[in-house]
Amino acid sequence: MALSEVDRGLIAATQSGLPLVPRPYEALGAALGVSAEAVRERLAGMLASGLIRRIGAVPNHYKLGFAANGMSVWDVADERVDALGARVAALPGVSHCYRRPRRLPDWPYNLFAMLHGRSRDEVQRQARDIEALLGSACRGHDVLYSTAILKKTGLRLRED
Amino acid sequence: MRPDDTAWGDPVDARLIEHLHGGFPLVDRPFAQVADELGLTEDEVIERLTRLLARGVLTRFGPLFQIERAGGAFVLAAISVPEARFDAVARIVNAWPEVAHNYRRESAHRRGGGCACATHRASAAATPLNMWFVVGAESPAAAEAVLQRIEVETGLPVLRLPKEREYKVELKLPIAEAGRGAV
């Protein structure tokens, strides 16, 4: 499925966010040359198709008191990673959970779980819970803590 | 931006942020509807959101796109950056609009984590993968083109870790509780 011209226009017009005015969809429509109703219909359509995951606020976890952010990474047996990944995803504190390829010898880990806590101790406890859940299926792990946000803008499409 | 767990703790802001995690109404005056649901005024909701964005408590307010559904790709990438070049490399990477976010990271195993297994002994000897960023583009080929350009401009190899499977995205964190904790 390729992007339609209207969808592309909507992505470009909202990539830095919705206009903070009483009638944001009307403002978007005016910028794109369509009606407010057409904007709402397309946004609803993109929500239904999953192209839009949600419409809402993206918090800066640091400023909300979740000062510790750890990317926990695990080397899990291939035949068990999908079943275990789904269970890891359900643990409290896990915000995102993905399977990614190993890149040997540089990178031996195939399961990623993002952990958030008010302190590194809290994140370490979450990592220990994952370690217990994975048991013998796990051959090694690491936790990479973020120490600075260098950039956080979200998706930007090229204008050209 | 450095971690900051004390700058914020307004309970109305906390309720607003939690309420606005998703499901922003697709109606003529959505901020007025949200205001009704929270017992605020439309002006107050807009004013608070404007302030939260300006202060960086929110990084964004609007639709979150899952570009894979339209043929696009997000690729997690990592570089081992020598410390002396860290800021210069960050400037090169961040200049690409396709780079959606970029974090400096350090391994727990490098801080006396006590892990002595062969994997970690080996990785501890090399320059750590200390820069982690996500490239989002309209196609996997477009994402790869950006990664190749970053390799050329920085002269450093980029580890590509594309998503193979998604088990979960975006936990809704207990923000109101965090706000109280931070006061």
Side-chain angles (χ1 to χ4, degrees):
Chain A
M1 183 182 76
L3 288 175
S4 75
E5 198 182 325
V6 174
D7 289 357
R8 209 171 184 288
L10 268 176
I11 294 174
T14 59
Q15 56 196 1
S16 58
L18 276 181
L20 296 175
V21 296
R23 292 186 167 84
Y25 306 120
E26 194 176 277
L28 283 173
L32 296 170
V34 297
S35 68
E37 197 175 40
V39 168
R40 291 200 297 268
E41 265 173 29
R42 274 321 300 146
L43 290 175
M46 288 193 271
L47 271 167
S49 73
L51 180 50
I52 293 178
R53 201 187 283 285
R54 63 181 173 95
I55 301 176
V58 182
N60 177 343
H61 293 138
Y62 292 95
K63 295 224 172 183
L64 294 175
F66 291 87
N69 158 252
M71 183 176 75
S72 73
V73 294
W74 309 81
D75 177 9
V76 181
D78 289 334
E79 65 279 10
R80 296 181 63 190
V81 66
D82 287 340
L84 287 165
R87 291 178 59 196
V88 168
L91 291 175
V94 176
S95 67
H96 300 64
C97 189
Y98 302 112
R99 189 185 78 208
R100 300 183 186 278
R102 295 185 190 86
R103 299 294 188 204
L104 298 172
D106 301 326
W107 189 255
Y109 309 108
N110 60 338
L111 180 67
F112 287 61
M114 296 299 310
L115 305 176
H116 300 273
R118 289 171 192 82
S119 66
R120 287 199 181 185
D121 283 347
E122 192 175 339
V123 170
Q124 261 156 23
R125 280 196 295 279
Q126 293 163 355
R128 278 198 294 274
D129 289 346
I130 295 177
E131 197 172 3
L133 193 157
L134 295 176
S136 63
C138 177
R139 292 178 290 244
H141 81 279
D142 198 351
V143 180
L144 284 83
Y145 289 100
S146 70
T147 53
I149 299 174
L150 306 171
K151 182 176 184 181
K152 189 171 179 184
T153 51
L155 175 72
R156 302 269 160 148
L157 291 185
R158 300 225 136 217
E159 298 296 329
D160 51 20
Chain B
M1 205 182 314
R2 287 280 159 185
D4 179 357
D5 61 356
T6 57
W8 182 82
D10 182 314
V12 178
D13 284 348
R15 274 204 304 141
L16 182 65
I17 294 170
E18 210 157 48
H19 191 82
L20 290 177
H21 178 78
F24 190 63
L26 292 168
V27 298
D28 184 39
R29 294 179 68 170
F31 295 106
Q33 183 176 319
V34 166
D36 279 349
E37 289 160 3
L38 291 172
L40 304 168
T41 66
E42 183 184 44
D43 282 349
E44 203 177 353
V45 168
I46 291 175
E47 199 179 288
R48 281 179 182 271
L49 278 174
T50 305
R51 182 170 42 76
L52 289 167
L53 284 161
R55 285 177 50 197
V57 175
L58 298 179
T59 56
R60 219 169 149 275
F61 179 77
L64 267 79
F65 296 98
Q66 197 173 3
I67 198 71
E68 294 97 325
R69 294 292 168 92
F74 278 110
V75 178
L76 177 66
I79 310 182
S80 301
V81 185
E83 205 49 49
R85 291 187 57 202
F86 196 89
D87 291 345
V89 171
R91 275 194 297 277
I92 292 172
V93 170
N94 291 352
W96 288 89
E98 287 84 354
V99 172
H101 39 81
N102 185 4
Y103 289 86
R104 183 181 182 119
R105 293 190 180 278
E106 67 179 23
S107 163
H109 290 290
R110 283 167 196 289
R111 306 186 80 217
C115 182
C117 72
T119 301
H120 297 136
R121 272 206 314 274
S123 65
T127 308
L129 288 162
N130 51 4
M131 187 179 290
W132 289 80
F133 56 97
V134 169
V135 169
E138 280 186 67
S139 68
E144 177 55 28
V146 170
L147 292 165
Q148 284 178 15
R149 290 290 303 156
I150 288 174
E151 283 185 322
V152 169
E153 289 180 15
T154 62
L156 297 169
V158 175
L159 192 73
R160 283 104 158 137
L161 299 167
K163 202 187 299 180
E164 287 182 339
R165 182 143 178 197
E166 188 171 284
Y167 303 110
K168 180 193 216 168
V169 279
E170 287 224 279
L171 166 79
K172 187 175 165 186
L173 294 166
I175 286 161
E177 199 186 310
R180 283 195 294 277
V183 170

